[in-house]
Amino acid sequence: MRQQRCATLLASLLQLVAVAVLPAAAAAAAAAAAGGAAGRCTTSTPLKTYAKCIALPTQGATLAWTYDARNATLDAAFTGSFISPSGWVAWGVNKDAPAMTGARVLAAFSDPSTGALLALPFLLSPDVKLQASPLVSRPLDIPLLASSASLVDPARTVRDGATVTIAATIRLSPNRTKLHFVWNRGLYVQGYSPTIHPTDASDLASHATVDILTTATEASPTASATLQWTHGSLNALSWGFLLPVGAAVARYLRPCASTGPAWFYAHAAIQATGYALGAAGFALGLVMGSASPGVTYKLHRGLGIAAATAGSLQTLAMLFRPKTTNRYRKYWKSYHHLVGYGCVVVGVVNVFQGFEVMGLGASYWKLGYCMALATLAGGCVALEVNAWVVFCRRQQEEKLMRREVEDVVVKDRAAAF
């Protein structure tokens, strides 16, 4: 009976891995393929036709323009999309560098009073980046000759996915044809003040330097969508799922004496696979970091380093595992359990942090991972309850056996007298 119960436990854990991991891997691969699609630009807009256009490197945005060298006038139209019915889309120029701080932008959003589409000017000072004060519209200190914003058909109102065109006419400095453009979008507008935008990699890299004569574009290097999805999938599968499964195998199969050393080999195989995949995901994270200078996620990076360090220590500890008869074995076991469970907790927490970094905090991918993790947690709770029931039953049986032995001893002594 006990052998059958242990075999059932092992089969249940393997089914959890298959059911939760395979669909997630397929979905991640599909999303990675979809994420690599690039947008197209057009010189024709509902308002006018321009001379040149480019597809900007992030958010599916485009820019079309006509430059009149005689009077150094730039007539431009930026096209982007909203990500919320109460959101905003902004585009502008920075005289000094391809960065948000110091940029002069036009932000398009719905008037909270009338619902009409507005295009208000804003100066992005360092206080705005630090969120020390709300963003307040003010006249720009550049020669802005005209500006407007309009929704692109078939959109009639601001909604998630609605396309907007922000048009502006700017007089430039003579012979200055390389311009630093910035753009972004956010979820909310408080009154007439746009709030902070999401901070995933594409949002933080939404700036480029463009030569308006040749259309040559110098964009900030950023990790590709495929690399990001591969990094996220590997880490979610390894640190976020396989390592917890391996810990569960050791926790709930080890007491089954009928399994012999099979629990150890299953535990070691799952943990080794998880660590190998996690190390590959960690290495991809380092590659992404070097490919995206200026884009940093301190908490995510710190948790990743902590998980990788704990996993490496666990791997190295196997080389120094004392024999069961060694007096230091109990200390090694305490260390192994403490670091192992700590690695699992940090890994799972960092997976959730990774969802936020990738802008998937409210996505079906996060929901799917939560369901897989909840299934595993539910299985562990059931197995834990079963383990305690078995433990208490054994304790009761041993107590009854001791009483029977004591009764026999007492009877034998009485018979001897």
Side-chain angles (χ1 to χ4, degrees), residues 85-144:
S86 57
W88 55 267
V89 175
W91 163 80
V93 296
N94 190 324
K95 296 186 296 184
D96 303 317
M100 181 182 79
T101 302
R104 280 73 173 167
V105 303
L106 293 170
F109 53 86
S110 292
D111 189 322
S113 301
T114 65
L117 189 64
L118 298 177
L120 298 183
F122 293 90
L123 172 61
L124 305 185
S125 63
D127 290 341
V128 173
K129 185 173 183 179
L130 297 174
Q131 303 182 55
S133 60
L135 188 59
V136 178
S137 178
R138 66 183 69 179
L140 301 182
D141 55 355
I142 60 175
L144 179 64

Coordinates of all heavy atoms in Angstrom, one line a residue, residues 85-144:
P85 N -8.0 54.0 -22.0 CA -9.0 55.1 -22.3 C -8.7 56.4 -21.5 O -9.1 57.4 -22.0 CB -10.3 54.4 -21.8 CG -10.1 53.0 -21.8 CD -8.6 52.8 -21.4
S86 N -8.0 56.3 -20.4 CA -7.7 57.5 -19.6 C -6.2 57.8 -19.8 O -5.7 58.5 -18.9 CB -8.1 57.2 -18.1 OG -7.4 56.1 -17.6
G87 N -5.6 57.3 -20.8 CA -4.1 57.5 -20.9 C -3.7 58.7 -21.8 O -4.5 59.6 -22.1
W88 N -2.4 58.7 -22.1 CA -1.9 59.8 -22.8 C -0.8 59.3 -23.8 O -0.2 58.2 -23.5 CB -1.3 60.9 -21.9 CG -0.3 60.4 -20.9 CD1 -0.5 59.9 -19.6 CD2 1.2 60.2 -21.1 NE1 0.7 59.5 -19.0 CE2 1.7 59.6 -19.9 CE3 2.0 60.4 -22.2 CZ2 3.0 59.3 -19.8 CZ3 3.4 60.1 -22.1 CH2 3.9 59.6 -20.9
V89 N -0.5 60.1 -24.8 CA 0.6 59.8 -25.7 C 1.3 61.1 -25.9 O 0.7 62.2 -26.1 CB 0.0 59.3 -27.1 CG1 1.2 59.2 -28.1 CG2 -0.7 58.0 -26.9
A90 N 2.7 61.1 -25.9 CA 3.5 62.3 -26.0 C 4.6 62.1 -26.9 O 5.1 61.0 -27.1 CB 4.0 62.7 -24.6
W91 N 5.0 63.2 -27.5 CA 6.2 63.2 -28.5 C 6.8 64.6 -28.4 O 6.1 65.6 -28.2 CB 5.7 62.9 -29.9 CG 6.7 63.3 -31.0 CD1 7.8 62.6 -31.3 CD2 6.7 64.4 -31.8 NE1 8.5 63.2 -32.3 CE2 7.8 64.4 -32.6 CE3 5.8 65.5 -31.9 CZ2 8.1 65.4 -33.6 CZ3 6.1 66.5 -32.8 CH2 7.2 66.4 -33.6
G92 N 8.1 64.7 -28.6 CA 8.7 66.0 -28.6 C 10.2 65.9 -29.0 O 10.7 64.8 -29.5
V93 N 10.9 67.0 -28.7 CA 12.3 67.0 -29.1 C 13.1 67.5 -27.8 O 12.6 68.1 -26.9 CB 12.6 68.1 -30.2 CG1 11.9 67.6 -31.5 CG2 12.1 69.4 -29.8
N94 N 14.4 67.1 -27.8 CA 15.3 67.5 -26.8 C 16.5 68.1 -27.5 O 17.2 67.5 -28.3 CB 15.8 66.3 -26.0 CG 16.5 66.6 -24.7 OD1 17.3 67.6 -24.7 ND2 16.3 65.9 -23.6
K95 N 16.8 69.3 -27.1 CA 17.9 70.1 -27.8 C 19.3 69.5 -27.5 O 20.2 69.7 -28.3 CB 17.9 71.5 -27.4 CG 16.6 72.2 -27.8 CD 16.7 73.7 -27.6 CE 16.8 74.0 -26.1 NZ 16.7 75.5 -25.8
D96 N 19.4 68.8 -26.3 CA 20.7 68.5 -25.9 C 21.1 67.0 -26.0 O 22.3 66.7 -26.4 CB 20.9 68.8 -24.4 CG 20.6 70.3 -24.1 OD1 21.1 71.2 -24.9 OD2 19.9 70.6 -23.2
A97 N 20.2 66.1 -25.8 CA 20.5 64.7 -25.8 C 19.2 63.8 -26.0 O 18.1 64.3 -25.8 CB 21.2 64.3 -24.5
P98 N 19.4 62.6 -26.5 CA 18.2 61.7 -26.7 C 17.8 61.2 -25.3 O 18.0 60.0 -25.0 CB 18.8 60.6 -27.6 CG 20.2 60.6 -27.3 CD 20.6 62.0 -27.0
A99 N 17.1 62.0 -24.5 CA 16.7 61.6 -23.2 C 15.4 62.4 -22.8 O 15.1 63.4 -23.4 CB 17.8 62.0 -22.2
M100 N 14.8 61.9 -21.8 CA 13.5 62.5 -21.4 C 13.7 63.8 -20.7 O 13.1 64.8 -21.0 CB 12.8 61.5 -20.4 CG 11.4 62.0 -20.0 SD 10.6 60.9 -18.8 CE 11.5 61.3 -17.3
T101 N 14.7 63.8 -19.8 CA 15.0 65.1 -19.0 C 15.4 66.2 -20.0 O 16.4 66.0 -20.7 CB 16.1 64.8 -18.0 OG1 15.6 63.8 -17.1 CG2 16.3 66.1 -17.2
G102 N 14.7 67.3 -19.9 CA 15.1 68.4 -20.7 C 14.3 68.5 -22.0 O 14.5 69.4 -22.8
A103 N 13.4 67.5 -22.3 CA 12.7 67.5 -23.6 C 11.5 68.4 -23.5 O 10.9 68.7 -22.5 CB 12.2 66.1 -23.8
R104 N 11.2 68.9 -24.7 CA 10.0 69.7 -24.9 C 9.0 68.9 -25.7 O 9.3 68.5 -26.8 CB 10.3 71.0 -25.7 CG 10.9 72.1 -24.9 CD 12.3 71.9 -24.5 NE 12.9 73.1 -23.8 CZ 14.1 73.0 -23.2 NH1 14.8 71.9 -23.1 NH2 14.5 74.1 -22.6
V105 N 7.8 68.6 -25.1 CA 6.9 67.6 -25.7 C 5.5 68.2 -25.8 O 5.1 69.1 -25.1 CB 6.9 66.3 -24.9 CG1 8.3 65.7 -24.7 CG2 6.3 66.5 -23.5
L106 N 4.8 67.5 -26.7 CA 3.3 67.7 -26.8 C 2.7 66.4 -26.3 O 3.0 65.3 -26.9 CB 2.9 68.0 -28.2 CG 3.4 69.4 -28.8 CD1 3.2 69.4 -30.3 CD2 2.8 70.5 -28.1
A107 N 1.7 66.5 -25.4 CA 1.0 65.3 -24.9 C -0.4 65.4 -25.3 O -1.1 66.4 -25.2 CB 1.1 65.3 -23.4
A108 N -0.9 64.3 -25.9 CA -2.3 64.2 -26.3 C -3.1 63.3 -25.4 O -2.7 62.3 -25.0 CB -2.4 63.6 -27.7
F109 N -4.2 63.8 -24.9 CA -5.2 63.1 -24.1 C -6.5 63.7 -24.1 O -6.7 64.8 -24.6 CB -4.6 63.0 -22.6 CG -4.3 64.3 -22.0 CD1 -5.2 65.1 -21.3 CD2 -3.0 64.9 -22.1 CE1 -4.9 66.3 -20.8 CE2 -2.7 66.1 -21.5 CZ -3.6 66.8 -20.9
S110 N -7.5 63.1 -23.5 CA -8.9 63.6 -23.5 C -9.0 64.7 -22.5 O -8.5 64.5 -21.3 CB -9.9 62.5 -23.2 OG -9.9 61.5 -24.3
D111 N -9.7 65.7 -22.8 CA -10.0 66.8 -21.9 C -10.9 66.2 -20.8 O -12.0 65.7 -21.1 CB -10.7 67.9 -22.6 CG -10.9 69.2 -21.7 OD1 -11.2 69.0 -20.5 OD2 -10.8 70.3 -22.2
P112 N -10.5 66.3 -19.5 CA -11.4 65.7 -18.5 C -12.7 66.3 -18.3 O -13.7 65.7 -17.8 CB -10.5 65.8 -17.2 CG -9.6 66.9 -17.5 CD -9.3 66.8 -19.0
S113 N -12.9 67.5 -18.9 CA -14.2 68.3 -18.8 C -15.1 68.0 -19.9 O -16.3 67.7 -19.8 CB -13.9 69.8 -18.6 OG -13.1 70.1 -17.5
T114 N -14.5 68.1 -21.2 CA -15.4 67.9 -22.4 C -15.2 66.6 -23.1 O -16.0 66.3 -23.9 CB -15.0 69.1 -23.3 OG1 -13.7 69.0 -23.8 CG2 -15.2 70.4 -22.6
G115 N -14.1 65.9 -22.9 CA -13.8 64.7 -23.6 C -13.1 64.9 -24.9 O -12.8 64.0 -25.6
A116 N -12.9 66.2 -25.3 CA -12.3 66.5 -26.6 C -10.8 66.2 -26.5 O -10.2 66.2 -25.4 CB -12.4 68.0 -26.9
L117 N -10.1 65.9 -27.6 CA -8.7 65.5 -27.6 C -7.9 66.8 -27.6 O -8.1 67.7 -28.3 CB -8.4 64.7 -28.9 CG -7.0 64.1 -29.0 CD1 -6.8 63.1 -27.9 CD2 -6.7 63.5 -30.3
L118 N -7.0 66.8 -26.6 CA -6.1 68.0 -26.4 C -4.7 67.6 -26.8 O -4.2 66.5 -26.8 CB -6.1 68.4 -24.9 CG -7.4 68.8 -24.3 CD1 -7.2 69.1 -22.8 CD2 -7.9 70.1 -25.0
A119 N -3.9 68.7 -27.1 CA -2.4 68.5 -27.3 C -1.8 69.7 -26.6 O -1.7 70.8 -27.1 CB -2.1 68.6 -28.8
L120 N -1.3 69.4 -25.4 CA -0.8 70.4 -24.5 C 0.8 70.3 -24.5 O 1.3 69.2 -24.5 CB -1.3 70.3 -23.1 CG -2.8 70.5 -23.0 CD1 -3.2 70.5 -21.5 CD2 -3.3 71.9 -23.6
P121 N 1.5 71.5 -24.4 CA 2.9 71.5 -24.3 C 3.4 71.3 -22.9 O 2.8 71.8 -21.9 CB 3.3 72.9 -24.8 CG 2.1 73.7 -24.4 CD 0.9 72.9 -24.5
F122 N 4.5 70.6 -22.7 CA 5.1 70.3 -21.4 C 6.6 70.4 -21.5 O 7.2 69.9 -22.5 CB 4.7 68.9 -20.9 CG 3.3 68.8 -20.5 CD1 2.4 68.3 -21.5 CD2 2.8 69.1 -19.3 CE1 1.0 68.2 -21.2 CE2 1.4 68.9 -19.0 CZ 0.6 68.5 -20.0
L123 N 7.3 70.8 -20.5 CA 8.7 70.8 -20.3 C 9.1 69.8 -19.3 O 8.7 69.9 -18.1 CB 9.2 72.2 -19.9 CG 10.7 72.3 -19.6 CD1 11.6 71.9 -20.8 CD2 11.1 73.7 -19.1
L124 N 9.9 68.8 -19.7 CA 10.2 67.7 -18.8 C 11.5 68.0 -18.0 O 12.6 67.8 -18.5 CB 10.4 66.4 -19.6 CG 9.2 66.0 -20.4 CD1 9.4 64.6 -21.1 CD2 7.9 66.0 -19.6
S125 N 11.3 68.6 -16.9 CA 12.5 69.0 -16.0 C 12.9 67.8 -15.2 O 12.2 66.8 -15.1 CB 12.1 70.1 -15.1 OG 11.0 69.7 -14.2
P126 N 14.1 67.9 -14.5 CA 14.5 66.7 -13.7 C 13.6 66.4 -12.6 O 13.5 65.3 -12.1 CB 15.9 67.3 -13.1 CG 16.4 68.2 -14.2 CD 15.1 68.9 -14.7
D127 N 12.8 67.4 -12.1 CA 11.8 67.1 -11.0 C 10.7 66.2 -11.5 O 10.2 65.4 -10.7 CB 11.2 68.4 -10.6 CG 12.1 69.3 -9.8 OD1 13.1 68.8 -9.3 OD2 11.9 70.5 -9.7
V128 N 10.4 66.2 -12.8 CA 9.4 65.3 -13.3 C 9.9 63.9 -13.3 O 9.1 63.0 -12.9 CB 9.0 65.8 -14.8 CG1 8.1 64.8 -15.4 CG2 8.4 67.1 -14.7
K129 N 11.1 63.7 -13.7 CA 11.7 62.3 -13.7 C 11.7 61.8 -12.3 O 11.5 60.6 -12.1 CB 13.1 62.3 -14.3 CG 13.6 60.9 -14.5 CD 14.9 61.0 -15.3 CE 15.5 59.6 -15.5 NZ 16.7 59.6 -16.3
L130 N 12.0 62.6 -11.3 CA 12.1 62.2 -9.9 C 10.7 62.1 -9.3 O 10.6 61.7 -8.1 CB 13.0 63.1 -9.1 CG 14.5 63.1 -9.5 CD1 15.2 64.2 -8.8 CD2 15.1 61.8 -9.4
Q131 N 9.7 62.5 -10.0 CA 8.3 62.6 -9.5 C 8.2 63.5 -8.2 O 7.4 63.2 -7.3 CB 7.8 61.2 -9.2 CG 7.8 60.2 -10.4 CD 7.2 58.9 -10.0 OE1 6.1 58.8 -9.6 NE2 8.0 57.9 -10.3
A132 N 9.0 64.5 -8.2 CA 9.0 65.4 -7.1 C 7.8 66.4 -7.2 O 7.4 66.9 -6.1 CB 10.3 66.2 -7.0
S133 N 7.3 66.6 -8.3 CA 6.2 67.5 -8.5 C 5.4 67.0 -9.7 O 5.9 66.4 -10.6 CB 6.7 68.9 -8.7 OG 7.5 69.0 -9.9
P134 N 4.1 67.4 -9.7 CA 3.3 67.0 -10.9 C 3.7 67.7 -12.2 O 4.2 68.8 -12.1 CB 1.8 67.3 -10.5 CG 2.0 68.4 -9.4 CD 3.3 68.1 -8.7
L135 N 3.4 67.1 -13.3 CA 3.7 67.7 -14.6 C 2.6 68.7 -14.9 O 1.4 68.4 -15.0 CB 3.7 66.6 -15.6 CG 4.2 67.0 -17.0 CD1 5.6 67.5 -17.0 CD2 4.2 65.7 -17.9
V136 N 3.1 69.9 -15.2 CA 2.1 71.1 -15.4 C 2.5 71.6 -16.8 O 3.6 71.9 -17.2 CB 2.3 72.2 -14.4 CG1 1.3 73.3 -14.7 CG2 2.0 71.6 -13.0
S137 N 1.4 71.8 -17.6 CA 1.6 72.4 -18.9 C 2.1 73.8 -18.9 O 1.6 74.6 -18.0 CB 0.2 72.3 -19.7 OG 0.4 72.9 -21.0
R138 N 3.0 74.2 -19.8 CA 3.5 75.5 -19.8 C 4.0 75.8 -21.3 O 4.3 74.8 -22.0 CB 4.7 75.7 -18.9 CG 5.9 74.9 -19.2 CD 7.1 75.0 -18.2 NE 6.7 74.4 -17.0 CZ 7.5 74.4 -15.9 NH1 8.7 74.9 -16.0 NH2 7.2 73.8 -14.8
P139 N 4.1 77.0 -21.7 CA 4.5 77.3 -23.0 C 6.0 76.9 -23.2 O 6.8 77.0 -22.3 CB 4.4 78.9 -23.1 CG 3.4 79.2 -22.1 CD 3.6 78.2 -21.0
L140 N 6.3 76.4 -24.4 CA 7.6 75.9 -24.7 C 8.5 77.1 -25.1 O 8.1 78.1 -25.6 CB 7.6 74.9 -25.8 CG 6.7 73.6 -25.6 CD1 6.8 72.7 -26.8 CD2 7.1 72.9 -24.3
D141 N 9.8 76.9 -24.7 CA 10.8 77.9 -25.0 C 11.5 77.6 -26.4 O 12.7 78.0 -26.6 CB 11.9 78.0 -23.9 CG 12.5 76.6 -23.7 OD1 12.1 75.6 -24.3 OD2 13.4 76.6 -22.8
I142 N 10.8 77.0 -27.3 CA 11.3 76.8 -28.7 C 10.3 77.4 -29.6 O 9.1 77.5 -29.3 CB 11.5 75.3 -29.0 CG1 10.2 74.5 -28.8 CG2 12.6 74.7 -28.1 CD1 10.3 73.0 -29.2
P143 N 10.7 77.7 -30.8 CA 9.7 78.3 -31.8 C 8.7 77.3 -32.3 O 8.9 76.7 -33.4 CB 10.6 78.8 -32.9 CG 12.0 78.8 -32.4 CD 12.1 77.7 -31.4
L144 N 7.6 77.0 -31.5 CA 6.6 76.1 -31.9 C 5.5 77.0 -32.7 O 4.8 77.8 -32.1 CB 6.0 75.5 -30.7 CG 4.8 74.5 -31.0 CD1 5.3 73.3 -31.8 CD2 4.2 74.0 -29.7

